[in-house]
Amino acid sequence: MKSYEVQIWEIGKRADRKARPWRVRWAVSGQRFEDMFRTKALAHSFRAELVQAANAGEPFDPATGRPVSEARTKNPTTWYAHSRAYVEMKWPRAAAKTRRSIVEALTSITVTLTRPAKRGRPTDALLREALYLYGLNPRRWSDEIPTEHAAALAWLETASLPVVELDSPAMVRRVLDSLCVRLDGKPAAASTVQRKRATFYNVLGYAVELELIDSNPVDRVQWTAPEVAQSIDRRVVANPAQVATLLEAVKSLGKRADKVTAFFGCLYYAGMRPSEAADLRRDDCDLSGRCADCGADFDDLAAVKPSRSCDHEKIEYRWGRLVLAGTSPRAGSHWTDDGGSHERRGLKHRGRAETRTVPIPPRLVELLCAHVENHGVGPDGRFFRGLHGGPLSESVYDRWWKLAREKALTESQVVSPLVRRPYDLRHAAASLWLNAGVPPTEVARRLGHGVAVLLRVYANCIDGGDDSMNDKIGDALG
């Protein structure tokens, strides 16, 4: 809280005090304060400072009675130092990708909040690199820092602005505006701006918690972030025939590409997230069916072997089931606790030990059985692995997906948004289920969404009833 309601009285002298008899009295928002001085000259000097601050329109702190500028000089905590404290506080409980996201946002903000006239300023590129790799990464604070990065961070320690400088709306607006521009000068994506603004707001909220500032200054700035699209563009949604053609195209690219055919099938036929499919284990699957020749039923087709009476060559695949227990998103070795590129975690939006059961159609059962037969599984039971047996990375399956689109789609479809990303297969699955009449509650459960989020995200992809509605409007128009 700050106040401009200030009253300052004339200097007085108390006869009962010998050591410090000269008294200065003043009030802020009705709250009275006084300070005693040894000489009248010292009292005059202090009173003059109070009068000068009040005449300049500077706000006073009702708690201490002193001008805000005085509090700033007594609080030298810089934005860089506070950012390091914030990252250190968030690090133990944050996911690896969340850690990376926080540091990316703070890197942009910290470079902006420096004194532009400070001598010896390194290039912005070097400052960003030093912050991203060392300055804001607690895992690397004990590492030996290269000379040029160490020099950049040393400069930053002296050039970073104090946190209290952000009490100025103009300074806050400067930071927010900088978040809207990419390094190449082009406008940043709306989702990126919103994510970095949220980090900026939370870091300032932590400054309020530590009593470095009185309130979050972002709340006092009339600034609106770019709108982020809430619903899926229906142009990205493929129909079942298009998806089947794409999966055949992936398979036709060769044995190395065929290792991810079932991976893409999981995204479409089970509506899984890529990080969930990448962590799918053999024990998570119930792959059932029956032999068309002998009529034998099997609960685990992937383990079926020929018998003396039947080779079980003709299999009728049935509905199976996946029990999803974890995800394996790629975050980068800088951000995981074990230094690996992937971090194994629980399911998104669920408790660490929670699972999600998803029924899968016979087509996906067939794809998974074929994968086990042709490519096997890893020592830990994982279906999908990288080129050298490690976790499946985005760069690997993205490359095969781009080649499959070029092979399976027409030229106009290739340049269109149609299933441009593998994640769009999950969108296609949700749209198919909703349009097939599956209740939204069940679709949301299978996807791992909330119902409200599901309907908002897929509002543009739900078909049905257009003809009847058009007829009604036509009848009303006469």
Side-chain angles (χ1 to χ4, degrees):
M1 295 291 292
K2 293 182 292 239
S3 175
Y4 294 89
E5 185 182 343
V6 181
Q7 185 178 7
I8 304 171
W9 286 282
E10 293 294 334
I11 295 174
K13 184 177 182 181
R14 293 185 56 172
D16 59 337
R17 291 208 176 184
K18 296 182 178 180
R20 302 175 66 188
W22 299 98
R23 179 174 63 180
V24 178
R25 295 186 302 150
W26 74 103
V28 179
S29 295
Q31 179 70 31
R32 295 195 175 194
F33 300 90
E34 69 174 38
D35 208 345
M36 308 300 294
F37 296 89
R38 185 170 56 84
T39 66
K40 187 175 183 180
L42 291 174
H44 268 301
S45 177
F46 177 72
R47 182 180 182 280
E49 291 177 1
L50 296 179
V51 171
Q52 182 179 5
N55 291 340
E58 184 178 331
F60 280 61
D61 183 356
T64 63
R66 301 302 176 91
V68 171
S69 60
E70 183 176 335
R72 289 176 179 172
T73 59
K74 293 182 178 180
N75 180 16
T77 303
T78 65
W79 173 262
Y80 173 51
H82 177 61
S83 296
R84 284 169 60 95
Y86 176 82
V87 172
E88 187 176 22
M89 179 270 295
K90 296 288 287 186
W91 192 273
R93 292 172 298 280
K97 293 186 72 172
T98 301
R99 295 169 178 172
R100 185 180 68 185
S101 176
I102 291 173
V103 172
E104 285 176 351
L106 287 178
T107 296
S108 300
I109 297 167
T110 305
V111 172
T112 301
L113 292 176
T114 55
R115 303 184 191 279
K118 183 72 174 178
R119 290 184 179 181
R121 180 186 179 94
T123 63
D124 283 357
L126 181 57
L127 284 174
R128 292 176 187 277
E129 189 174 276
L131 283 167
Y132 185 79
L133 294 178
Y134 300 100
L136 297 175
N137 188 332
R139 280 193 66 242
R140 310 194 73 184
W141 285 351
S142 59
D143 293 355
E144 183 176 352
I145 303 176
T147 304
E148 61 176 356
H149 291 138
L153 294 178
W155 179 90
L156 196 60
E157 289 178 357
T158 61
S160 182
L161 295 175
V163 173
V164 291
E165 292 289 335
L166 286 161
D167 217 15
S168 163
M171 184 65 70
V172 173
R173 183 176 291 277
R174 172 186 162 191
V175 174
L176 294 174
D177 288 343
S178 72
L179 300 181
C180 297
V181 183
R182 300 191 321 189
L183 295 180
D184 58 5
K186 296 180 180 179
S191 58
T192 300
V193 177
Q194 190 176 74
R195 172 173 54 82
K196 290 185 176 182
R197 180 199 177 277
T199 300
F200 183 45
Y201 187 89
N202 289 336
V203 178
L204 288 173
Y206 188 52
V208 175
E209 180 182 335
L210 298 180
E211 299 183 352
L212 300 180
I213 52 179
D214 295 327
S215 61
N216 198 315
V218 176
D219 294 329
R220 304 197 302 271
V221 178
Q222 296 296 317
W223 188 90
T224 304
E227 290 292 334
V228 178
Q230 296 293 320
S231 59
I232 298 301
D233 183 353
R234 66 183 303 158
R235 294 176 301 168
V236 309
V237 176
N239 60 45
Q242 290 170 329
V243 174
T245 303
L246 284 162
L247 294 182
E248 285 298 322
V250 174
K251 185 176 181 180
S252 68
L253 291 173
K255 186 174 182 179
R256 293 174 68 183
D258 186 44
K259 289 183 177 181
V260 293
T261 301
F263 171 82
F264 294 129
C266 288
L267 307 190
Y268 181 66
Y269 293 113
M272 297 169 68
R273 297 179 176 90
S275 59
E276 294 170 344
D279 196 61
L280 184 65
R281 313 286 168 129
R282 180 67 188 85
D283 293 339
D284 299 337
C285 307
D286 292 336
L287 307 175
S288 59
R290 66 183 294 273
C291 177
D293 292 330
C294 66
D297 291 322
F298 302 105
D299 294 329
D300 187 3
L301 288 172
V304 171
K305 297 180 180 179
S307 65
R308 293 181 180 179
S309 58
C310 184
D311 291 336
H312 307 310
E313 293 181 351
K314 295 182 180 180
I315 297 294
E316 293 179 359
Y317 298 95
R318 295 176 174 174
W319 277 81
R321 183 179 64 175
L322 303 180
V323 181
L324 307 182
T327 61
S328 184
R330 184 184 185 281
S333 59
H334 293 308
W335 316 109
T336 57
D337 291 328
D338 60 2
S341 59
H342 290 71
E343 179 187 44
R344 189 155 196 252
R345 295 184 60 84
L347 297 175
K348 191 174 182 180
H349 303 313
R350 293 187 179 234
R352 188 173 295 272
E354 281 191 79
T355 61
R356 187 173 89 244
T357 302
V358 182
I360 57 174
R363 175 57 179 150
L364 182 53
V365 173
E366 181 181 3
L367 287 173
L368 290 173
C369 288
H371 181 90
V372 174
E373 181 178 353
N374 298 327
H375 310 293
V377 297
D380 56 357
R382 274 186 299 117
F383 274 87
F384 311 112
R385 291 153 287 160
L387 297 178
H388 303 289
L392 179 64
S393 66
E394 297 173 12
S395 60
V396 171
Y397 64 74
D398 275 344
R399 180 172 69 253
W400 295 124
W401 187 248
K402 290 176 182 177
L403 293 174
R405 286 184 80 248
E406 293 174 358
K407 186 171 184 178
L409 303 180
T410 65
E411 291 185 5
S412 60
Q413 289 174 331
V414 170
V415 298
S416 74
L418 180 66
V419 280
R420 182 171 291 169
R421 307 170 304 155
Y423 202 103
D424 292 332
L425 291 169
R426 174 174 156 90
H427 299 325
S431 302
L432 178 71
W433 298 345
L434 289 169
N435 290 319
V438 180
T441 51
E442 177 61 15
V443 175
R445 188 195 67 77
R446 296 189 183 199
L447 292 174
H449 268 318
V451 176
V453 173
L454 173 81
L455 295 177
R456 183 176 71 248
V457 170
Y458 295 101
N460 291 342
C461 301
I462 302 175
D463 292 322
D466 284 354
D467 291 340
S468 62
M469 296 301 169
N470 292 343
D471 289 342
K472 290 180 180 180
I473 294 173
D475 292 341
L477 292 172

